[in-house]
Amino acid sequence: MIMSSRLNQGNAHYRIGPLTTYVDARELERKFERAVAGERVTYAIGPAVSLNAATAALARSWHDAGLCLLLREREGGGRGFRYFVQKRELAVAGADDAADGPAIRGRPEEKLLHVLEDMAERGGALPSLDMLADLAGLPTRNSADYRLRLLIDGGFVRVRRDGPNRFVDILRQEAGQ
């Protein structure tokens, strides 16, 4: 008796479970900055939030800094959730303090800036994004890359190349230091 090694496509069943969809982290940041105290901003829709997703990490960092509440509501017949950040009064008061640029006090960018200041002071080359994430207590290399770009865009640091190495220059320190 000879048996075929081919799959019978008529009997094969494929199923992809529900996936979580995230708002772009930069878009979430823009919406959160414009939100008034008590306003909810959706950051994800799906069955569960991954702690490794940049958007979820951003929402968690705001929560840890006391800037928002993290909420969820059932969505679409009980198959998943809509995840929100609800801006707290503290976040609105903190935004008014930063007239000369983006506020980073109490945010992950502040930790990264301190790490970068130490590196600039020692004159060492900028390490990999994985190492920056470890040193600043960020969840992933993508989070380190995102926060570094926020610091560059905010005018806090500049990254320059010198041969194969990258170096960081501190352009301004956090307000209040």
Side-chain angles (χ1 to χ4, degrees):
M1 171 184 240
I2 298 175
M3 298 188 88
S4 172
S5 63
R6 293 185 343 183
L7 286 176
N8 182 349
Q9 291 180 342
N11 294 332
H13 298 282
Y14 301 96
R15 183 172 184 273
I16 296 177
L19 303 174
T20 300
T21 305
Y22 298 92
V23 171
D24 178 71
R26 288 185 179 158
E27 181 64 23
L28 177 63
E29 194 151 37
R30 280 191 288 274
K31 288 181 179 181
F32 188 74
E33 286 175 7
R34 284 184 255 158
V36 296
E39 186 175 343
R40 289 181 176 185
V41 178
T42 300
Y43 70 92
I45 299 173
V49 173
S50 168
L51 298 178
N52 294 330
T55 301
L58 179 61
R60 173 63 56 195
S61 71
W62 290 337
H63 175 266
D64 293 346
L67 301 176
C68 71
L69 300 173
L70 298 179
L71 307 168
R72 71 179 187 176
E73 291 179 353
R74 279 261 176 230
E75 175 78 12
R79 292 188 174 193
F81 296 95
R82 180 175 293 266
Y83 295 87
F84 302 96
V85 290
Q86 182 174 343
K87 195 166 189 176
R88 296 180 67 190
E89 195 68 42
L90 172 65
V92 174
D96 295 336
D97 296 339
D100 61 334
I104 62 169
R105 191 173 317 127
R107 298 192 41 190
E109 294 89 70
E110 179 183 30
K111 285 174 114 176
L112 181 57
L113 181 60
H114 292 305
V115 168
L116 296 172
E117 287 170 344
D118 290 343
M119 287 178 186
E121 192 173 294
R122 289 192 312 262
L126 197 59
S128 70
L129 291 172
D130 291 315
M131 181 66 80
L132 276 179
D134 287 344
L135 292 171
L138 298 170
T140 64
R141 72 185 323 262
N142 290 341
S143 180
D145 182 48
Y146 175 70
R147 302 296 172 188
L148 180 59
R149 280 189 270 134
L150 288 177
L151 290 173
I152 292 168
D153 293 345
F156 289 94
V157 300
R158 175 181 57 220
V159 176
R160 61 182 163 77
R161 281 214 175 268
D162 187 6
N165 297 317
R166 297 178 311 152
F167 293 89
V168 66
D169 296 320
I170 305 302
L171 302 177
R172 69 181 177 116
Q173 293 185 335
E174 175 192 2
Q177 280 190 336

